[in-house]
Structures are given as structure tokens and as C-alpha cells.
Amino acid sequence: MMTTVRADRGTELTAKQWSTEAALRMFHNNLDPDVAERPEDLVVYGGTGKAARDWPSFDAISRELKNLEADETLLVQSGRPVGVMRTHEWAPRVLIANSNLVPDWANWPEFRRLEAEGLTMYGQMTAGSWIYIGTQGILQGTFETFAAVATKRFNGTLRGTLTVTAGLGGMGGAQPLAVTMNEGVALCIEVDPHRAQRRLETRYLDEIADDLDSAIERCLAAKAAGEAVSVGVVGNAAEILPELLRREVPVDIVTDQTSAHDPLAYLPVGVSLEEWQDYAGAKPDEFTQRARESMAAHVEAMVGFLDRGAEVFDYGNSIRGEAQLGGYDRAFAFPGFVPAYIRPLFCEGKGPFRWAALSGDPADIAKTDAAILELFPENEQLARWIKMAGERVEFQGLPARICWLGYGERHLAGLKFNEMVASGELSAPIVIGRDHLDCGSVASPYRETEAMADGSDAIADWPLLNALVNTASGATWVSIHHGGGVGIGRSIHAGQVTVADGTPLAAQKIERVLTNDPGMGVIRHVDAGYDEAKTVAADKGVRIPMEG
Ligand code: NAD
């Protein structure tokens, strides 16, 4: 059944307890038209990342979550509810496995064959695990990344610099705002005018230029004036980026967030927007080949800017790998963003901590924002983010917030929120989760675990241990996925969501989950030999049998 989906708000339960009500609301919230990119197809974000396999599965998951008892667990296999088991109160209410394939079969053609048979679905990271909160989710990570670029190359600010990127989709749409929050100028290439328009409406993008000439003129004037502005231009990145290079536009930073991880979601040069879906569906192999050739041209231009001294990085969409398959041999000349900027944070167990207000009341998030500022007064970057987010971020679906917190911090925030629910300061429970892109929850050699110090990039035991430890610690739902942002065959990752319903039991679960979950990040990086992680482990008492 195709229907408009929106999460319930308020304090009235349709499920039997808050833990299952929370899963139900977050599942529905993922498909809210204000949240999802293509809700009619159950697609939440990231190309084809879905919340449920099909509409009958959607109905069955909704029904089961309403009926589930506090000692039962729903099993979801790639978006389809396949069983309900008697477990116990500390067990997760939902266990999810999405898109997993045996390694020798883990390639796109086999995945698509199985998907076409109705046997699997693509779960992305937070689509199939029901904790996507719209573009804000990545805005924070993108803000952190551009702040790190500014620190590394531009004296701590992007003022007076021009960043060029492409893709204004669910995740990529965060780029213009993240750049302007760091005081820079962003030129964003997007092939679909509706996507660009949507970012304008949500105030993530400031302007859309009529054509490339006026876009360049506007950006260079802003760069010279030190004005922070973001400009969208409609066109194909594989044509526009080489053109910018040819015209010798003085670009300082280049990255990309088209859906390059899935060649069918990247529009090749010479194919119109109208032809896209039919062509990709009818001739996937030919389309893939053409997309990869275009990505080769796109990445060749990125390397051209690198050669001219620009700061260039892969923003986690596998475009280097696809360009290499498209025949361009210098694709890996520039690094991925994790080794370049994020790994030191991972060593501290830092990562994207997020929460949503099940009440639907933005005032609840404002109160949690204030609580975060009070809890961590010494963290200036956190304060800058929370204040700017409060002013600039439009909520999509249930009001939500994200900030990066580390080991020893996350559980303090979770316990505080639980107290605020218990005291009635917040009008309904809060769900606390995170992206699968976190310090100890993912194996992804082109992204989160690229260039690990000990060469352990492809070891996938860590995300599995992460899911197991969260299950054992009292998380409300736990997921293990394959593919995510980098595509089939390239990553294994896990997620957890834990409900703060104000009860003492929730407090016990929160303390364990939000200690052990980032703790996985610390031990993973200690194991790989990072001194920063060893210091954190020693200072904070993380027990690591093979150390000391
Ligand atoms: P999306 O599918 O919602 O958006 C991609 C956008 O790219 C679309 O708007 C599409 O029209 C546009 N596009 C496609 N081909 C193009 C071309 N040739 N020229 C210009 N625009 C083109 O995807 P998303 O959710 O925004 O994710 C983007 C990518 O980032 C994905 O590969 C995703 O896996 C990856 N990702 C990265 C991170 C990270 O932390 N860095 C996190 C999540 C996802």
C-alpha cells in the first residue's frame, strides 16, 4: 500500500511501551516526505537506501511493532520482518540485518539480481536502521570536516576561499551550509534542478545561479569580499568541473557528494534527467560503464585541481574507486576524508551522537541543546555548532539534534536526557542513536578504515563485535549492514539506537551502551596502534587485555 507516512507525535502510545513506540515512530519518521528523498519508493537517502523492502513489509513491520511485548524481539532481514522471538527485557526490541552477502557474492550485479527477485534491499547506513534525521545528520560531520580543512590549510577559517563540490541530495545537500558555517564560498553542481531547489527551500543553499558564467562571477566576487555564500549551478559535474579547470577558476577546495558509490545513481554525460531511470533499469551494465567513464572525467578534473595546489578529498562516496574502474589511473592521487581529517577524533571515541524528540516538540530539542552546553562548557567547537544549529537548521520530521561526542561523554548526555524525561522537563522520551559512520562500528577500506596504521583496513570483525556488544549492553535496536555509503562489497557496518524513556532501567542500559559503543572505537584504534587512542584508553580506564 502506498501511503503518506508521518511519525505520530505526543505522549499517546499506539505500541505497548515506549521502546517499541520509539522504533515505530523512527521507522515512520524515516519515510516522512520531509525526511525521505523518495518516500513513494521507500527510499530514504543515499541513492537507493530504503527503510523497508516493500509496502507489504512496511505494513507488517508497523503492525508487529504495535503488538510487540517488552520481552519480545522482532527480526528484520533486509527490510522484511521475518520473525518475532521471545527474548528478555534487556534484549533489543528489534534486530536488523540489511544487504549482507557472502563475500564472494558481494558485488552489484548479484545484489541487483537478488533485489529484483525481491529477496533483499539496500539499507544504506541509517535508512534501513531507522535513525536518519534528514540532512542535519551529515551537516555536523560535514561542518567538522570543513573545519578540519580550515585548520589544516587556511588558518582556521574558510573565509576568502572557494570550495567546489557536486551533489545536492540527502547527504550532499549539507555541503553548502557546512562551508558557509565555516565562512567560505561554495559552488555546488547538481544535475537535478528539483534537488537544488529543495536545498534552497530548506536554507541549506543560499542561491541558484542561472548559468555557469553567473555562478563563477558571483562566487569570485564573494571570495574576494570574504563573504560567506553558497551558489548552486545546474549541470553535470563531469562536464562542469573540467570546464572550471579549463577556465582556470581559482578553486581552493574540491570534493564531491554525488551518489557515485552506486553507478546507476550517477548520471553519465550525454544522458538526460528524463531518460535516467528507464535507461539505468533497462541496460544497467551499459549505464554503469558510461557512468564510470564520466566519473573518470570528473575525478581527472579533481586531480587537475590537486596538481594546481587545491585541497582535494574524497567525501566518502567511492568516486575514486569508480573512476579507476572507468579507466582513470590517478584516481587515488587524493585522500579520503577520514585519514585526512577525522581519524584523530575516532581515536578519542568521538563520533556522530544524535537524538530525536518523540514528542515532536522543537522545545524539547532546545532544552537538550541547553543541557549539552551545560554538560560540556569547555568544548568551544561543540558550543559553536550547537548555537549555529539552533539558529540555522530546519528540522525535517521529528525534531532532532546531532553533535560529535567522545568516549566518556556520550553516556553523560544520555543519562542527562533520561533524567529530563523522568522529571517531566521534556514532554516525551528521546531516542539516542548515531550514524554507522562512527569510530568503532564500521569496516570500510575506502572510507572510515582507509589507510589504517597497521593495514587492517578490511578487517570486518570490529563492526560485528560492535553490534554484539550493543546487543549485550541493552540497546533498543541494533543493525548490521553491508554496503552503506560506499557500495556493495566495500563495507560492513553496525548501528544502535537506545531509548531514554525516563525509567531507571533505561538509565542502566544507556550507561552501558553509550560507554561500550564508543569504547569500541577506542579499542579498535588502540589495536591498530594509534598513540592518541592509547592515551585515551589509559586516561579513561578502557580495559584492553593486550595493552600493558
Ligand atoms: P543522493 O542520491 O540523495 O544525492 C546524490 C545527488 O547527486 C543527486 O541529487 C543527483 O541528482 C546528483 N548527481 C548524480 N549524478 C550527478 C552528476 N553527474 N552531476 C551532478 N550531480 C549528480 O545521495 P546522498 O544521500 O546525497 O549521498 C551522496 C553520496 O555520499 C553517496 O554516495 C553516499 O553514499 C555518500 N555518503 C557519504 C557520507 C559521508 O560521511 N561522507 C555519508 C553518507 C553518504
Side-chain angles (χ1 to χ4, degrees):
M1 173 193 64
M2 168 51 209
T3 173
T4 298
V5 180
R6 197 166 177 261
D8 285 341
R9 268 79 169 155
T11 51
E12 204 170 305
L13 297 184
T14 57
K16 293 189 173 169
Q17 53 275 310
W18 272 109
S19 55
T20 43
E21 180 75 21
L24 182 65
R25 289 193 192 185
M26 294 311 291
F27 173 48
H28 287 179
N29 193 55
N30 262 16
L31 292 168
D32 184 319
D34 290 340
V35 176
E37 293 291 321
R38 284 192 283 125
E40 63 283 8
D41 299 325
L42 294 146
V43 169
V44 183
Y45 77 96
T48 56
K50 291 168 78 172
R53 197 175 315 167
D54 46 34
W55 287 104
S57 299
F58 170 85
D59 291 337
I61 291 171
S62 302
R63 187 181 65 236
E64 293 300 337
L65 288 173
K66 281 181 190 158
N67 292 333
L68 216 60
E69 301 289 346
D71 63 351
E72 290 179 336
T73 297
L74 171 66
L75 303 182
V76 177
Q77 179 259 322
S78 291
R80 187 168 189 259
V82 290
V84 174
M85 305 252 171
R86 179 101 195 272
T87 53
H88 57 86
E89 255 202 306
W90 272 79
R93 297 283 71 81
V94 192
L95 289 170
I96 297 170
N98 280 325
S99 329
N100 296 290
L101 294 174
V102 170
D104 259 9
W105 281 258
N107 55 64
W108 277 117
E110 179 62 4
F111 179 80
R112 291 201 202 291
R113 186 186 75 76
L114 294 164
E115 196 183 26
E117 298 273 332
L119 296 172
T120 189
M121 73 158 201
Y122 204 62
Q124 257 288 356
M125 288 197 151
T126 53
S129 58
W130 314 338
I131 186 70
Y132 186 61
I133 57 169
T135 309
Q136 184 195 169
I138 191 148
L139 177 61
Q140 216 283 330
T142 314
F143 168 81
E144 293 270 351
T145 303
F146 281 106
V149 174
T151 304
K152 185 175 160 192
R153 278 284 297 270
F154 305 100
N155 297 320
T157 171
L158 297 185
R159 194 177 154 85
T161 68
L162 171 59
T163 298
V164 177
T165 185
L168 289 174
M171 305 266 98
Q175 299 174 104
L177 183 52
V179 172
T180 54
M181 278 179 159
N182 280 292
E183 306 176 301
V185 180
L187 174 59
C188 304
I189 309 161
E190 167 57 59
V191 84
D192 181 345
H194 301 291
R195 294 295 185 97
Q197 190 60 36
R198 187 165 182 181
R199 301 310 153 212
L200 196 70
E201 282 157 13
T202 50
R203 302 193 305 150
Y204 274 61
L205 181 68
D206 295 323
E207 300 169 12
I208 300 177
D210 293 334
D211 52 39
L212 185 59
D213 290 335
S214 47
I216 295 171
E217 200 180 314
R218 175 75 179 101
C219 288
L220 292 184
K223 176 174 149 87
E227 182 193 353
V229 72
S230 58
V231 180
V233 64
V234 175
N236 194 308
E239 289 178 310
I240 292 188
L241 202 67
E243 179 60 18
L244 293 172
L245 187 70
R246 197 187 62 76
R247 294 194 197 184
E248 300 188 10
V249 176
V251 176
D252 303 284
I253 300 158
V254 187
T255 188
D256 175 63
Q257 271 212 304
T258 56
S259 264
H261 72 279
D262 175 359
L264 300 186
Y266 181 98
L267 190 67
V269 174
V271 179
S272 73
L273 211 52
E274 294 70 35
E275 292 168 290
W276 189 344
Q277 292 310 328
D278 287 349
Y279 183 12
K283 294 183 180 167
D285 293 344
E286 184 183 307
F287 191 98
T288 295
Q289 182 55 27
R290 287 188 64 179
R292 284 179 175 153
E293 283 165 13
S294 289
M295 286 191 245
H298 183 163
V299 170
E300 186 173 0
M302 292 175 81
V303 172
F305 280 111
L306 178 79
D307 290 343
R308 285 195 195 155
E311 185 78 14
V312 182
F313 58 94
D314 177 319
Y315 203 39
N317 63 354
S318 268
I319 196 162
R320 291 170 302 167
E322 293 297 324
Q324 197 172 49
L325 291 169
Y328 179 58
D329 59 8
R330 284 188 67 207
F332 283 86
F334 55 85
F337 72 109
V338 174
Y341 316 110
I342 302 295
R343 185 145 307 137
L345 304 178
F346 281 174
C347 288
E348 293 176 46
K350 275 203 175 133
F353 177 85
R354 64 177 60 172
W355 62 99
L358 294 176
S359 63
D361 185 354
D364 280 353
I365 291 299
K367 288 175 193 163
T368 55
D369 282 351
I372 291 284
L373 293 176
E374 231 170 79
L375 273 175
F376 308 107
E378 71 296 343
N379 189 335
E380 282 170 26
Q381 185 159 322
L382 176 69
R384 189 150 72 100
W385 158 256
I386 291 284
K387 284 177 194 152
M388 274 198 285
E391 286 161 18
R392 289 294 303 264
V393 169
E394 302 268 325
F395 295 132
Q396 294 168 257
L398 289 172
R401 183 66 75 224
I402 177 168
C403 65
W404 278 41
L405 291 180
Y407 181 84
E409 296 177 330
R410 296 193 204 188
H411 73 285
L412 297 178
L415 288 172
K416 177 70 187 167
F417 297 168
N418 200 53
E419 280 167 31
M420 292 165 79
V421 175
S423 71
E425 192 180 340
L426 300 178
S427 59
I430 296 280
V431 294
I432 303 167
R434 58 164 172 76
D435 195 359
H436 290 196
L437 184 170
D438 195 9
C439 49
S441 57
V442 49
S444 184
Y446 287 148
R447 198 162 90 179
E448 290 87 343
T449 54
E450 174 175 343
M452 291 297 286
D454 63 347
S456 61
D457 307 19
I459 301 279
D461 298 331
W462 300 100
L464 303 182
L465 284 172
N466 176 252
L468 292 170
V469 83
N470 283 327
T471 299
S473 301
T476 312
W477 64 99
V478 176
S479 51
I480 298 178
H481 295 194
H482 163 212
V486 287
I488 289 295
R490 293 176 180 156
S491 66
I492 305 281
H493 38 91
Q496 68 81 14
V497 183
T498 303
V499 177
D501 63 7
T503 60
L505 180 62
Q508 290 184 53
K509 293 178 178 181
I510 285 166
E511 179 155 26
R512 285 167 177 73
V513 173
L514 296 183
T515 301
N516 298 340
D517 187 33
M520 284 298 305
V522 177
I523 68 170
R524 201 271 175 262
H525 290 86
V526 168
D527 197 78
Y530 289 91
D531 289 336
E532 298 99 310
K534 288 180 189 177
T535 307
V536 173
D539 289 353
K540 300 198 171 161
V542 183
R543 283 164 60 187
I544 301 177
M546 302 298 282
E547 282 295 307

